[in-house]
Amino acid sequence: MDMLWSGWGDPAKAAPLPETVTGLLRDLLGVKPRTAGAIALEDIAVPEPSLEPAARHALFAAVGGEEHVRTDAETRIRHTRGKSTPDLLRIRDGEVDDIPAAVVLPADHDDVRAVLRACAEHGLPVVPFGGGTSVVGGLAPARRSPFVALDMRRMDQLLALDPVSRTATLQPGLRAPQAEALLAEHGFTLGHFPQSYEWATIGGFAATRSSGQASAGYGRFDEMVLGLTLATPEGTIDTGRAPRSAAGPDLRQLLLGSEGAFGVITSVTVRIRPVPQTRVYEGWRFPSFEEGAAALRRLAQDGPRPTVLRLSDETETLIGLAQPDAIGAAVAGQQPAGCMAITGYEGTDEDTAYRRERAAAVLRECGGTLLGEEPGQRWAHGRYSAPYLRDALLDAGAFAETLETATFWSRVPELYASVREALTGTLTEAGTPPLIMCHISHVYENGASLYFTVVSAQGDDPVAHWQRAKHAANEAILTAGGTITHHHGVGTDHQDWYVREAGDLGIEALQAVKRRLDPAGLLSPGVLLPAD
């Protein structure tokens, strides 16, 4: 099944906003109902594919026939851009100026190499396409017309599984639920559950250094990767002969997070773990975000560390975003004030019980009040539903978007305050005062990530409003010592700030790598690195 072309996920899972939320939007933010709906897919004016006949036939030959090279309007629309709010607003208005000329579906590594050779011969840029879930402009190349979207969906196999070493080799087009199902047949799990879980792919996880909601226990995706195979116009790179090595710099780390700029990931070898005997989630309440953050730091640094560990600030807790299935309940007076933390424990019965008991003692000592399993189970049940909520907000006339960053623990308060101030000030000046919510989504011994959700009225030009606000937030992030992205990636949206974060010499070194692997600059041009 394809994702909704003008929104997120499965259309059958969409739901309207509760009246408590629409009332809040109207009374607090001045949100007005939309006067017109999105354009129908069939009414979008799509330009004819601008592929030369020789290039088209070269692509046919590369993937074994014309049935795997699609140039129809609907397929190309579905591969236009990603799923950021500006992406959705533009596609709902019928804007397809950066539509691919063709969508090509390779079946294996050799197909990918053949496609890259054909594109190099005919000067066609190539953008790898997994689940299409990018929210940072990762699917919109700087050199737009014509370009090829390389859809990896046919590369969806479990290639190898080593139960002794607890490793698995997966093709990049596997969606996360498919990968989990295949591993579960052998009694294993990857344990990677980001909010995009239902649609994102293994290759996309590696290309963007994804981080899942259970990262406190399972680790980030880049920590799970033991080996990669990369197809480039100049040849193939294979990495990962051993779990760790002192044989020079680790090429895996160079390829992880490369976002299609260096090549196309065609297989990923990951470490796997046994399917847990027990999964239990619970809620805790803290009087303030500061006290809750201190509690999370204690667990991250001194243990025992839960598998899931996250904390919503006062505003996010009030609105109910900590439990997506309970949106609006607190506004209606059904929940007390404070900050909601979610802890989760997965593993053997014995280990889960031990960590849960010890962690509870730490949380109580830090001022936490146990709310029981019900809030945790509600979070687990609705953990992938926030993007659907965004669609409902857009339908209701609100603007909703997210951004994220990370820093060291000592800088978390300043970063939190700086980003909130930048967003609030810029959007208020534009006449669309926002509601700013935040949560700590991932924790480490030395720091944590902050994940912000912004809701406001759309105004006359919502995309322009957001671009100004996002620019201000990005500036605040760098000034406060944060990284420009913790898990969304660089794409095109963050590129200017990534260049500043990495420094001139660092970017020049990466550009030298790109020139060697992609001399013509055809791989995701303008994504991650400035286009030549």
Side-chain angles (χ1 to χ4, degrees), residues 390-424:
R390 179 186 58 168
D391 284 358
L393 287 165
L394 292 179
D395 293 340
F399 182 93
E401 186 57 297
T402 62
L403 62 89
E404 41 74 54
T405 179
T407 192
F408 296 105
W409 282 113
S410 60
R411 296 176 179 172
V412 165
E414 178 188 356
L415 182 61
Y416 173 74
S418 296
V419 174
R420 283 180 57 88
E421 181 180 349
L423 291 168
T424 300

Side-chain angles (χ1 to χ4, degrees), residues 168-223:
T169 301
L170 308 168
Q171 286 189 306
L174 267 173
R175 286 182 180 169
Q178 294 174 287
E180 283 294 325
L182 289 170
L183 293 174
E185 292 176 5
H186 302 272
F188 291 100
T189 179
L190 183 57
H192 189 67
F193 306 107
Q195 194 171 81
S196 60
Y197 169 80
E198 296 172 312
W199 298 91
T201 61
I202 296 296
F205 291 154
T208 59
R209 290 187 181 271
S210 175
S211 192
Q213 295 171 339
S215 64
Y218 290 101
R220 292 166 53 95
F221 192 80
D222 49 7
E223 296 170 332

